[in-house]
């Protein structure tokens, strides 16, 4: 599967099994650490060091996997999901494994360093000066610009860098993956 092709149910089930396997592995690591607590200091040192080394390896593997998943997820977020949602004319869909995915508009806002004075002046002149402190908090600026858009205020693109993007939200619903033939 590449990052622009949706997976089939078999691939989804395999991914869920891999996640379950990692969860079980983490439980086994916890159990092994509990077993070490019953031993004396000299009996514990080599096994504890071994477990520590294994945890470092596991942490490195998880970070590597996290980066791969992050890039695949971004591929879906920016290349797979938008046309699928658009073509289906929906903004919410129930997944096959008990969740709901919702898409909504969002923005990313920043002030280019060389335009801070202009941006602060514009905010102040247009009634948004209360968000200016020694700097403008990025979350506050984002919320303010979203409110401006909602109110039909034109935000000067030469002063603010505003990127409109789609935001996906995933939450628990009730639908589950269909059972495979043979109860698998």
């Amino acid at each position: 599967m590449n990052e622009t092709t949706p997976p089939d149910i078999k691939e989804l089930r395999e991914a869920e099994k891999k996640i379950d396997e990692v969860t079980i592995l983490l439980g086994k690591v916890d159990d092994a650490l509990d077993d070490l607590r019953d031993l004396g200091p000299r009996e514990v040192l080599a096994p504890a060091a071994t477990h520590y080394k294994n945890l470092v390896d596991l942490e490195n593997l998880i970070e590597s996997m996290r980066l791969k998943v992050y890039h695949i997820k971004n591929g879906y977020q920016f290349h797979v999901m938008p046309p699928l949602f658009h073509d289906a004319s929906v903004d919410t869909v129930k997944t096959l494994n008990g969740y709901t995915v919702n898409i909504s508009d969002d923005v990313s806002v920043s002030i280019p360093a060389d335009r801070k004075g202009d941006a602060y002046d514009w905010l102040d002149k247009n009634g948004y000066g209360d968000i200016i402190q020694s700097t403008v908090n990025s979350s506050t600026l984002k919320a303010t610009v979203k409110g401006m858009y909602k109110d039909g205020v034109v935000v000067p693109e030469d002063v603010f860098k505003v990127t409109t993007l789609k935001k996906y939200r995933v939450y628990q619903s009730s639908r589950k993956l269909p059972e495979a033939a043979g109860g698998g």
Side-chain angles (χ1 to χ4, degrees):
M1 175 183 77
N2 66 41
E3 66 183 36
T4 60
T5 305
D8 63 22
I9 290 178
K10 182 179 177 185
E11 289 172 322
L12 290 169
R13 287 201 169 282
E14 289 173 9
E16 285 182 336
K17 284 180 185 177
K18 298 268 187 220
I19 291 169
D20 289 343
E21 290 171 6
V22 169
T23 302
I24 290 167
L25 175 63
L26 292 174
K28 288 182 180 184
V29 168
D30 283 343
D31 292 345
L33 292 173
D34 287 341
D35 292 344
L36 288 177
R37 289 187 184 100
D38 298 334
L39 301 174
R42 289 193 183 271
E43 298 168 306
V44 171
L45 187 55
T50 302
H51 281 295
Y52 176 77
K53 190 265 185 211
N54 290 341
L55 289 170
V56 168
D57 290 347
L58 181 59
E59 181 180 44
N60 291 336
L61 177 62
I62 289 170
E63 179 60 17
S64 172
M65 289 173 41
R66 187 195 68 74
L67 288 172
K68 287 178 185 175
V69 169
Y70 174 81
H71 290 293
I72 292 169
K73 177 194 69 89
N74 279 354
Y76 267 70
Q77 179 177 355
F78 296 111
H79 305 291
V80 176
M81 302 302 286
L84 291 174
F85 273 79
H86 179 266
D87 292 350
S89 299
V90 298
D91 59 8
T92 300
V93 64
K94 290 191 184 263
T95 68
L96 300 174
N97 59 348
Y99 291 84
T100 298
V101 176
N102 172 268
I103 184 174
S104 61
D105 291 324
D106 199 7
V107 296
S108 170
V109 184
S110 63
I111 301 171
D114 63 337
R115 300 304 309 258
K116 281 189 181 181
D118 295 332
Y120 292 1
D121 288 344
W122 186 91
L123 288 168
D124 193 40
K125 287 178 187 171
N126 287 277
Y128 302 101
D130 59 326
I131 72 167
I132 301 171
Q133 297 172 3
S134 60
T135 63
V136 176
N137 177 285
S138 62
S139 295
T140 303
L141 179 61
K142 175 180 172 177
T144 301
V145 169
K146 285 174 79 171
M148 289 178 196
Y149 280 172
K150 187 176 178 182
D151 295 339
V153 175
V154 177
V155 178
E157 294 180 13
D158 62 324
V159 176
F160 298 93
K161 180 180 177 197
V162 180
T163 305
T164 303
L165 50 100
K166 296 293 183 183
K167 179 179 180 180
Y168 293 88
R169 188 171 63 101
V170 177
Y171 53 93
Q172 182 74 46
S173 62
S174 59
R175 198 165 168 196
K176 299 291 182 192
L177 272 175
E179 289 299 319

